[in-house]
Amino acid sequence: MGLNSIKFTLRFYQDESCYKYLSDIKWENGYTCKKCSNSGFCSGVKPHSRRCVKCGYDESPTSGTMFDKCKIPLHIAFHIVFRVCTKKKGMSSLELSSEFEQRQMTCWEFKWKVQQAMKSSLKYPLFGEVHVDECYIGGEESQKQGRSKGKKKLVVVALEKLPFEGVGRAYAQIITDASNVSFRPFFEEHISKDANVVTDEWPGYTPLKKDYPNLKQIPSNNGKNHPDMHIHIMNLKGWIRGIHHHCSKERFQGYLDEYHFRYNRRNNMDTIFDTLLNRMVMYSPKRLYTVI
Ligand SMILES: [Zn+2]
């Protein structure tokens, strides 16, 4: 599925084609009954559901996926996923609510599922030259009435520098403080051990040199020594500023994941919807909720 919204609308104008799409992903590698492991099936009750010929268990394409018990009609849920991943800045639950005529809370809940599917698979850590920096985001910038500094969130950001020019992928994570202990899990999840990591001279990074032998610390000079990182953080902050409601630590991480899911695929937009949909089918919502 590419980026063409007319083609998308023509293909997914009703639930039927969405069930077909989900069923194709779900049973891509063949069907096995969840109850008795039998591989023979016939058509079930719901569209594109499969019924085991041995035990009679009927499984719908949505069961066990993030579309299970979805309060939004399936084709509208598909459109929401499409818009959230293909629009450059995504869409807020308020915008989704007015565009698709669904309750804002329903959109908000569904978007949370989409955001969880946007979480990094952790399969492709950053490599080559990787710049790391931390910054405060949110708080009074996005809370017009609140003045509490406590609402600002400390975020660590890693950004790949390409060998000749430009930048590659990036990740960001909310952390409790700028200590070595807080940085470490982020490094381990998102940065290859042999990467040429560049940070400023903050001592919190120094102990990481043990596991990241190529880590270099150079003076920040107010961000001037790391212009690409500076721009990345400015853009991220600008986008986050558009989120007007207060959000919990988990939800805030969801926004960081959403931003970077799109950012890291800005050159692969043709497959972005399929990638996301695949995850929404394959990732059990239960598993994701317990991770957060
Ligand atoms: Zn069975």
Side-chain angles (χ1 to χ4, degrees):
M1 204 64 238
L3 288 172
N4 186 322
S5 61
I6 296 174
K7 278 188 188 164
F8 186 90
T9 307
L10 287 172
R11 181 167 171 187
F12 298 115
Y13 74 101
Q14 57 181 13
D15 288 353
E16 156 72 25
S17 45
C18 304
Y19 279 116
K20 165 90 171 68
Y21 188 90
L22 292 181
S23 141
D24 287 347
I25 298 175
K26 190 170 189 176
W27 292 300
E28 193 182 16
N29 300 315
Y31 165 86
T32 310
C33 172
K34 275 192 181 161
K35 298 280 176 212
C36 75
S37 302
N38 178 44
S39 60
F41 66 90
C42 59
S43 297
V45 178
K46 284 186 181 165
H48 299 279
S49 69
R50 296 187 178 187
R51 188 182 167 89
C52 172
V53 289
K54 200 167 158 193
C55 76
Y57 177 67
D58 195 325
E59 186 179 343
S60 87
T62 55
S63 91
T65 77
M66 288 187 171
F67 295 96
D68 206 5
K69 301 185 180 68
C70 185
K71 291 175 195 158
I72 304 169
L74 193 57
H75 70 284
I76 293 179
F78 265 51
H79 275 73
I80 290 177
V81 177
F82 182 74
R83 299 282 275 157
V84 167
C85 71
T86 60
K87 264 193 97 175
K88 199 169 177 227
K89 295 190 170 182
M91 278 180 91
S92 69
S93 54
L94 192 66
E95 289 170 313
L96 292 170
S97 166
S98 63
E99 182 161 334
F100 296 105
E101 298 178 332
Q102 303 293 314
R103 287 178 59 232
Q104 194 197 341
M105 184 53 86
T106 308
C107 293
W108 192 82
E109 284 167 359
F110 183 68
K111 203 186 153 188
W112 176 224
K113 290 184 186 175
V114 180
Q115 284 180 327
Q116 288 179 86
M118 287 170 146
K119 203 176 170 64
S120 164
S121 68
L122 308 180
K123 285 184 200 157
Y124 309 102
L126 305 178
F127 62 92
E129 189 173 328
V130 178
H131 288 210
V132 181
D133 201 357
E134 77 286 351
C135 60
Y136 282 95
I137 304 185
E140 53 217 64
E141 283 172 350
S142 62
Q143 298 277 321
K144 282 189 179 129
Q145 288 151 358
R147 285 282 173 272
S148 157
K149 250 196 167 177
K151 283 182 179 158
K152 278 189 174 283
K153 300 191 173 61
L154 184 60
V155 171
V156 58
V157 184
L159 174 68
E160 267 175 354
K161 279 273 287 166
L162 297 179
F164 299 104
E165 210 185 325
V167 289
R169 295 168 302 143
Y171 293 111
Q173 191 173 297
I174 184 166
I175 48 175
T176 44
D177 55 45
S179 71
N180 151 53
V181 175
S182 298
F183 289 143
R184 188 170 290 277
F186 176 73
F187 269 66
E188 285 175 354
E189 286 190 337
H190 297 294
I191 306 173
S192 306
K193 289 278 186 315
D194 57 356
N196 297 314
V197 182
V198 179
T199 71
D200 59 23
E201 291 179 306
W202 174 248
Y205 294 111
T206 316
L208 292 159
K209 285 182 179 170
K210 204 178 146 219
D211 291 321
Y212 292 83
N214 305 326
L215 190 149
K216 255 191 233 152
Q217 292 189 280
I218 60 171
S220 151
N221 192 16
N222 264 339
K224 282 181 195 136
N225 288 346
H226 308 286
D228 292 315
M229 176 58 92
H230 188 69
I231 292 167
H232 187 82
I233 290 175
M234 283 300 116
N235 290 340
L236 177 61
K237 280 185 176 180
W239 181 73
I240 294 275
R241 212 171 287 136
I243 300 157
H244 295 292
H245 52 79
H246 168 74
C247 50
S248 65
K249 192 179 159 193
E250 288 77 14
R251 271 315 280 250
F252 192 81
Q253 183 61 46
Y255 286 104
L256 296 177
D257 292 338
E258 178 189 342
Y259 185 86
H260 289 93
F261 179 86
R262 273 192 304 268
Y263 182 81
N264 292 342
R265 285 164 188 79
R266 63 198 184 280
N267 300 321
N268 304 310
M269 292 297 279
D270 275 1
T271 52
I272 198 165
F273 174 80
D274 303 289
T275 304
L276 189 52
L277 236 288
N278 224 287
R279 289 186 180 190
M280 293 186 73
V281 174
M282 297 305 182
Y283 289 12
S284 153
K286 216 170 167 187
R287 182 178 76 89
L288 285 158
Y289 290 138
T290 52
V291 169
I292 294 289

